[in-house]
Amino acid sequence: MLDSTIWWHIYPLGATGAPIRDRGDEDADAAPRLRSLEPWLDYLIELGCDGLLLAPIFESVGHGYDTLDHYRIDSRLGTNEDFDCLMDACRTRGITVMLDGVFNHVAATHPAVAEGLAGKTNWEGHDELATLHHDDERVKEMVADIMKFWLARGVAGWRLDVAYSVPPAFWSDVLARVRAEYPDALFLGEVIHGDYAQIAHDGTLDAVTQYELWKAIWSSLHDANFWELDHALSRHRDISRGLLTNTFIGNHDVDRIASKVGQDKSILALAILLTLPGMPSIYYGDEQGFEGVRGEGFSADDAVRPPLPATPDELSELGAWIFREHQALIGLRRRHPWLTHADIEVLDKTNETISYRVFSGKEQLFIDAWLNPAPGIRIRSTDETLYEWVP
């Protein structure tokens, strides 16, 4: 089942060292960088993940969210044939692949603008982007065709960028067309705020991103205020009863968790993430304790979208202990797949401690986390300790 997938989320343009700005001529920039991800597939498996969530890989102007051609792999990453090779490598290892589709807007220089399929620029202050006309039948046909084009090449689903900005009726119409041919495809909507369940229901989305939980996890650890987490867990419980959520403590748009709370507390954040209902994703580098804080201006995201070394063997040993804790906790999660749709009960909390139970039928786990005298966490079944960490 796709809903129990544990995703390794990667930003390919950054991870492969592609030039984001100040691109040279197309031939000079072109390189099969997508193939450089192949050595990382065994690393993904070793980590314990079984899904690869790729940020935008289609031809674009710069950062990937300013698409120029949804049918062609970005020349900085390679060709469609290079993508097929990556898919073959994933398929051989049993890795599921999800693509990031930007269907709210396109680059202002996208052919759709000249064709009258997109118009208003300055979407959320970005002059270089033009919003698609979602009420135009041609746009609906185009987006459905793009989705089916890549599903036919073997991907399992789509992350729908800024799904909250697109009219729900558009998603409902387009996804019905795609599901008619690919009924098992998964559609994950990026939703930051609002009524998650209503947005998903109206747009017929399978899942949404859980930003509320992300905020509460890092903030409660940073501020020593587990009352905030308690409130968020109550909300998450209610949301999860009728909706799959993509849970995370890091992605390509936020500060690194290790920079938010420190490397020690990042283990608590991970343990909390992996013992809650939802479909979790691990953002590349978090499992090594990468640090990075978003800045301002055109290079704002560079710090959280860094290049990877050529192979995992070239990673610093400084992050090895964090990798091992990720392995242990991801392994625990995979041994308890019922957690995807579990219920939550907070048993006790203070500013600096929290205890909660996750359960489904006869299955249950107990989690105790604390911040003093040093941060630590314990995960128990009814009769044994399954995981414990203190620095």
Side-chain angles (χ1 to χ4, degrees):
M1 293 291 291
L2 286 177
D3 60 2
S4 61
T5 303
I6 301 177
W7 302 93
W8 195 51
H9 183 189
I10 189 167
Y11 179 74
L13 288 169
T16 62
I20 305 298
R21 298 169 299 281
D22 302 321
R23 294 178 61 173
D25 63 72
E26 185 172 340
D27 290 337
D29 286 339
R33 291 185 177 91
L34 207 55
R35 295 194 184 218
S36 70
L37 296 180
E38 290 187 26
W40 292 90
L41 299 181
D42 290 334
Y43 171 90
L44 179 159
I45 296 295
E46 184 181 359
L47 178 62
C49 297
D50 54 350
L52 179 63
L53 171 54
L54 294 170
I57 57 174
F58 307 127
E59 190 64 56
S60 67
V61 174
H63 47 64
Y65 290 93
D66 43 5
T67 315
L68 287 170
D69 186 345
H70 290 89
Y71 292 97
R72 186 158 60 96
I73 295 298
D74 196 299
S75 59
R76 293 167 292 174
L77 295 174
T79 65
N80 288 14
E81 289 69 32
D82 292 318
F83 174 80
D84 290 340
C85 288
L86 181 64
M87 283 298 303
D88 287 343
C90 287
R91 194 176 296 110
T92 298
R93 294 166 173 81
I95 297 171
T96 300
V97 178
M98 183 185 296
L99 298 184
D100 199 338
V102 187
F103 302 123
N104 174 69
H105 52 266
V106 293
T109 51
H110 190 289
V113 177
E115 294 168 10
L117 304 182
K120 184 180 179 182
T121 58
N122 199 33
W123 177 78
E124 292 194 353
H126 299 282
D127 292 334
E128 73 279 10
L129 302 177
T131 304
L132 286 166
H133 297 319
H134 294 102
D135 58 348
D136 191 315
E137 175 63 22
R138 295 173 298 167
V139 173
K140 296 174 183 178
E141 290 179 357
M142 178 185 75
V143 173
D145 189 68
I146 291 165
M147 289 184 177
K148 289 187 285 187
F149 179 84
W150 295 100
L151 286 165
R153 294 180 103 102
V155 305
W158 288 89
R159 175 194 179 272
L160 305 174
D161 185 59
V162 295
Y164 57 88
S165 285
V166 176
F170 175 84
W171 292 131
S172 179
D173 188 331
V174 169
L175 298 188
R177 302 182 193 201
V178 178
R179 287 183 175 120
E181 296 184 35
Y182 297 94
D184 297 326
L186 179 70
F187 299 97
L188 163 65
E190 182 196 19
V191 178
I192 299 176
H193 40 64
D195 187 332
Y196 290 177
Q198 192 66 51
I199 292 170
H201 175 271
D202 293 348
T204 68
L205 305 174
D206 295 309
V208 298
T209 52
Q210 226 303 23
Y211 269 89
E212 281 188 20
L213 183 64
W214 161 77
K215 164 59 168 61
I217 291 175
W218 73 256
S219 183
S220 63
L221 293 170
H222 180 272
D223 297 339
N225 180 17
F226 277 128
W227 292 81
E228 179 181 0
L229 182 59
D230 171 50
H231 176 75
L233 291 182
S234 176
R235 292 264 303 163
H236 187 57
R237 177 193 62 213
D238 293 342
I239 292 168
S240 298
R241 283 174 176 166
L243 176 64
L244 178 67
T245 61
N246 168 222
T247 56
F248 59 93
I249 53 175
N251 66 28
H252 59 297
D253 286 328
V254 302
D255 296 342
R256 290 280 182 177
I257 186 64
S259 294
K260 282 287 193 184
V261 302
Q263 291 186 342
D264 286 347
K265 290 182 183 177
S266 74
I267 304 302
L268 272 68
L270 177 69
I272 293 168
L273 171 73
L274 292 176
T275 54
L276 293 177
M279 180 179 64
S281 58
I282 308 297
Y283 186 53
Y284 83 105
D286 280 356
E287 75 283 353
Q288 294 287 338
F290 281 18
E291 298 182 354
V293 176
R294 296 182 73 248
E296 300 289 339
F298 291 112
S299 60
D301 298 312
D302 288 2
V304 297
R305 303 175 179 182
L308 288 170
T311 69
D313 292 339
E314 298 175 43
L315 288 165
S316 168
E317 282 296 316
L318 294 176
W321 71 273
I322 299 177
F323 182 82
R324 289 192 293 271
E325 299 305 326
H326 275 72
Q327 285 181 307
L329 285 163
I330 293 172
L332 185 151
R333 174 71 179 218
R334 295 192 66 170
R335 291 191 297 275
H336 298 84
W338 55 268
L339 284 166
T340 300
H341 300 288
D343 204 344
I344 313 166
E345 179 187 14
V346 174
L347 303 174
D348 191 24
K349 76 271 185 183
T350 67
N351 282 353
E352 298 182 344
T353 65
I354 191 167
S355 297
Y356 60 92
R357 177 175 76 106
V358 285
F359 56 97
S360 178
K362 296 181 180 180
E363 303 281 1
Q364 62 179 349
L365 293 178
F366 299 88
I367 296 88
D368 305 300
W370 59 90
L371 298 177
N372 279 315
I377 195 160
R378 181 183 303 111
I379 302 171
R380 298 175 289 118
S381 64
T382 304
D383 52 8
E384 67 174 318
T385 295
L386 303 177
Y387 176 85
E388 186 169 15
W389 182 84
V390 291

